[in-house]
């Protein structure tokens, strides 16, 4: 039986969970008040789970706390966001402006390498803080420095080459688009060209010309990668790209982008199972590849449904996501749901908070629409 019968009821529950439980907990225990920065995880019992720190998580938590402020949380959102961003500049920023991958608990460098994905979240965090105002650095200049450094990761054919096992991939470009749109929304028009490049690459390359779904991995010529990698289709990324292409399409008045967003959403729904849960991955014939279901695709299902005005799907996603939040301590989450309906017993990754609060923000904006 569904937990929520209306989107307004879902919003009321999510808003209370966020402001009364999650944000106070992650401010109190998810922020390292002694050494700086933010933690990688809390246990589902609400205790710290210390681990080496990734650059991407600092940027994501800046997003979380600045978004909390925009949603009306009266807690110390600005202090928390500043705390995370200060730590990122001090411990993760390299001399070339790029963000390194990993530092130890005491801030010593463990991996000085860089990833496109990490730069995108550093840029997103800076954009959100710039939009919130009142930070002690010139954030547009800092972001421009990081963006210049990012050019070293350019692929000679198109886009960027990631530094992991899949150098030619769609995912890191998605987050560069997200960061670029955030800077545009913060009033910085010189990010238009990068946003347009990423969106156009989705239309021309990442989205399969025949199937209309988005692929994950490619070869050096930006054709589908050989083997199983090239056949992987993730429902969560269909939804996430749908949400972004909806935003870009409206910004540019591009009906082709809006049509693509609709098609991506419909293909993503092929991965929503009988429980109303979006599974991890499909094959490119849209049959199930990975029936396990992480938390984040549920948030993207809700965001895309709201962007397209699909209220029944948004409500289904809100009910599905709510299952992941039923933890022993209020304010954390389960990350992985097995096909048998049980959750994997492991800490709640801080990185998921970015997905959750973004979905709640979309729900809040949708509920506040006139009429």
């Amino acid at each position: 039986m569904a937990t929520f019968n209306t989107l307004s009821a879902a919003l009321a529950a999510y808003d209370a969970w966020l402001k009364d439980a999650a944000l106070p907990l992650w401010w109190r225990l998810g922020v390292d008040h002694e050494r700086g920065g933010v933690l990688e995880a809390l246990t589902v019992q609400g205790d710290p789970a210390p681990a080496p720190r990734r650059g991407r998580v600092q940027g994501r938590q800046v997003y979380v706390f600045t978004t909390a402020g925009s949603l009306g949380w009266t807690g110390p959102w600005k202090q928390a966001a500043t705390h995370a961003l200060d730590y990122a500049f001090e411990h993760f920023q390299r001399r070339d402006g790029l963000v390194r991958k990993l530092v130890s608990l005491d801030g010593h460098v463990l991996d000085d390498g860089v990833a496109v994905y990490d730069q995108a979240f550093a840029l997103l965090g800076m954009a959100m803080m710039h939009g919130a105002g009142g930070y002690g650095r010139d954030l547009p200049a800092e972001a421009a420095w990081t963006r210049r450094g990012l050019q070293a990761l350019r692929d000679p054919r198109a886009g960027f080459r990631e530094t992991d096992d899949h150098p030619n991939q769609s995912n890191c470009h998605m987050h560069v688009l997200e960061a670029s749109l955030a800077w545009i929304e913060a009033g910085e028009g010189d990010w238009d060209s990068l946003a347009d490049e990423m969106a156009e690459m989705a239309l021309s390359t990442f989205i399969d010309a025949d199937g209309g779904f988005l692929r994950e991995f490619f070869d050096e010529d930006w054709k589908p990668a050989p083997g199983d990698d090239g056949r992987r289709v993730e429902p969560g990324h269909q939804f996430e790209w749908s949400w972004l292409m909806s935003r870009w399409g409206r910004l540019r008045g591009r009906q082709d982008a809006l049509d693509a967003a609709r098609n991506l959403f419909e293909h993503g729904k092929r991965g929503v199972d009988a429980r109303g849960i979006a599974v991890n991955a499909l094959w490119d014939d849209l049959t199930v590849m990975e029936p396990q279901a992480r938390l984040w695709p549920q948030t993207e299902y809700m965001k895309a449904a709201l962007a397209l005005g699909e209220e029944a799907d948004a409500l289904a996603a809100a009910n599905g996501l709510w299952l992941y939040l039923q933890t022993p301590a209020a304010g954390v989450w389960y990350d992985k749901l097995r096909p048998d309906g049980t959750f994997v017993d492991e800490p709640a990754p801080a990185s998921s908070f970015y997905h959750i609060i973004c979905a709640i923000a979309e729900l809040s904006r949708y509920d506040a629409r006139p009429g």
Side-chain angles (χ1 to χ4, degrees):
M1 181 178 293
T3 300
F4 309 118
N5 294 320
T6 67
L7 288 175
S8 293
L11 175 60
Y14 277 106
D15 190 68
W17 175 88
L18 179 69
K19 294 174 182 175
D20 297 341
L23 289 166
L25 178 65
W26 285 87
W27 162 245
R28 183 168 57 90
L29 296 177
V31 169
D32 190 334
H33 297 277
E34 179 181 351
R35 290 171 291 197
V38 296
L39 272 64
E40 283 283 321
L42 297 177
T43 71
V44 293
Q45 288 77 31
D47 299 316
R53 297 177 184 176
R54 295 175 293 167
R56 66 187 61 178
V57 174
Q58 307 301 312
R60 284 189 181 213
Q61 294 298 75
V62 173
Y63 179 96
V64 165
F65 286 111
T66 53
T67 302
S70 72
L71 290 173
W73 184 48
T74 57
W77 64 267
K78 189 69 172 289
Q79 184 180 352
T82 300
H83 187 88
L85 191 54
D86 286 348
Y87 188 87
F89 279 129
E90 181 178 357
H91 293 286
F92 285 95
Q93 189 178 54
R94 303 193 325 177
R95 292 183 178 180
D96 58 2
L98 294 177
V99 171
R100 60 176 55 95
K101 290 182 178 180
L102 193 70
V103 304
S104 66
L105 289 175
D106 57 7
H108 292 142
V109 176
L110 295 178
D111 188 340
D112 200 42
V114 297
V116 177
Y117 190 100
D118 293 355
Q119 312 317 307
F121 280 104
L123 292 168
L124 178 63
M126 284 188 267
M128 297 299 291
M129 183 63 92
H130 179 59
Y135 188 70
R137 293 189 185 218
D138 183 345
L139 290 176
E142 293 284 357
W145 187 29
T146 301
R147 182 175 167 183
R148 286 194 297 273
L150 190 57
Q151 298 309 304
L153 300 176
R154 280 284 183 180
D155 183 275
R157 296 169 183 80
F160 297 96
R161 283 180 63 82
E162 191 51 287
T163 57
D164 62 17
D165 293 337
H166 297 96
N168 293 72
Q169 59 171 259
S170 55
N171 190 29
C172 65
H173 296 83
M174 179 180 72
H175 291 299
V176 173
L177 172 58
E178 180 182 24
S180 300
L181 289 173
W183 274 106
I184 293 167
E185 290 164 359
E188 300 295 326
D190 56 348
W191 290 81
D192 285 325
S193 61
L194 187 57
D196 293 350
E197 179 191 355
M198 297 298 98
E200 294 285 7
M201 197 168 177
L203 292 170
S204 66
T205 304
F206 304 145
I207 297 173
D208 186 86
D210 297 322
F213 53 81
L214 183 128
R215 295 185 187 270
E216 295 292 321
F217 304 123
F218 302 84
D219 65 15
E220 292 186 351
D221 295 318
W222 289 104
K223 303 299 182 184
D228 291 351
D229 283 349
R231 295 194 58 201
R232 186 179 182 89
V233 175
E234 296 193 8
H237 285 152
Q238 310 304 303
F239 294 135
E240 199 166 3
W241 273 103
S242 174
W243 174 67
L244 287 166
M245 295 302 283
S246 295
R247 290 169 61 189
W248 183 80
R250 289 193 295 269
L251 180 68
R252 294 288 179 256
R254 289 281 296 269
Q255 188 60 46
D256 58 341
L258 297 175
D259 291 342
R262 171 66 62 178
N263 288 335
L264 290 171
F265 179 74
E266 294 300 329
H267 284 103
K269 283 178 62 177
R270 294 287 295 274
V272 176
D273 66 19
R275 303 168 296 176
I277 298 293
V279 302
N280 284 353
L282 305 174
W283 297 102
D284 58 3
D285 63 2
L286 304 183
T287 58
V288 174
M289 180 191 219
E290 277 183 28
Q292 190 180 71
R294 291 194 63 190
L295 177 149
W296 70 264
Q298 320 317 314
T299 69
E300 302 308 324
Y301 180 24
M302 183 157 66
K303 287 162 54 181
L306 291 166
L308 297 174
E310 295 292 339
E311 294 191 0
D313 284 293
L315 188 58
N319 279 300
L321 176 62
W322 191 249
L323 298 175
Y324 291 75
L325 309 187
Q326 307 314 301
T327 46
V332 285
W333 42 84
Y334 294 111
D335 184 57
K336 299 181 182 73
L337 178 63
R338 300 184 183 95
D340 66 4
T342 62
F343 286 99
V344 175
D345 185 10
E346 62 183 357
S351 56
S352 296
F353 206 171
Y354 141 85
H355 289 284
I356 297 168
I357 201 169
C358 188
I360 295 172
E362 285 296 314
L363 186 56
S364 179
R365 280 190 284 269
Y366 192 86
D367 189 73
R369 295 188 315 167

